[in-house]
Amino acid sequence: MPASRYTVSDVMTHTAVAIGREASYKEIVELMDQWKVSAVPVLEGEGRVVGVVSEADLLPKEEFRRDDPRLPDQLEEASKAAGVLAEELMSSPAVTVHPDATLAEAAQIMARKHVKRLPVVNGLGMLEGVVSRSDLLKVFLRTDEEIEEEIRDAVLAELAPPVDLQASVKDGVVTLRGSLRSRALVPLVARAIRAVEGVVDVRMELEGRPAGAA
């Protein structure tokens, strides 16, 4: 069955806000406020991403304004409290993603690295855009009709031999009705449908099988 056709390049913001190494603390705060972003890539040369300054990198200046760090794991954060330029504040190397990565891959990177935004870079590390958590949710704006058509043409039609299944979609929730030649196929079909971008849940109402979530 075909993989999802959506990649990071489909949902990312192509016009990304970025800064150079010499950008000042106040410039960075003003830029984030102006563009309503939580992090900005740091570039050098012709656009190679060398780091990212996020809200988390800026907060130590306030956190340690009056108090010195008390725990060993606070030392790195406290050192950023003295930073005034992007190169002193940034997290480096930057956590990035390629434009041809799947949305699931981007979501996994964000979750694993605890970041809200990822610079999108090409094979040379040059900035092509930025993808955020909200960008990844754009696929759930697909209409029920679009989702139903993709399930019918790209999932059910590819099953061999053809199956007697019909899919209907309401608010992103897919309901399958009909019959399968083997119960062993149920989790496989459900997994393939969940892989369709925009699907919220899959429910089975198959002959000989109680109704309910797959």
Side-chain angles (χ1 to χ4, degrees), residues 25 28 52-53 57-58 80 83-91:
Y25 185 102
I28 298 169
V52 172
V53 177
D57 296 316
L58 299 174
K80 290 189 177 184
V84 295
L85 299 178
E87 63 184 358
E88 300 164 335
L89 298 160
M90 68 184 185
S91 297

Side-chain angles (χ1 to χ4, degrees), residues 1-7 102-104 136-159 167-169 171-176 187-202:
M1 296 177 188
S4 169
R5 54 190 174 88
Y6 282 83
T7 63
T102 67
L103 303 191
L136 298 184
L137 294 176
K138 288 178 182 177
V139 292
F140 292 102
L141 298 176
R142 298 183 73 193
T143 67
D144 291 340
E145 291 75 19
E146 287 179 292
I147 296 170
E148 186 175 317
E149 180 180 1
E150 182 171 344
I151 291 171
R152 183 178 63 250
D153 297 342
V155 178
L156 301 183
E158 295 296 319
L159 292 173
S168 60
V169 184
D171 294 332
V173 177
V174 180
T175 300
L176 279 183
L188 299 178
V189 173
R191 190 178 306 119
I193 291 176
R194 285 197 182 96
V196 174
E197 301 292 1
V199 169
V200 175
D201 195 13
V202 180

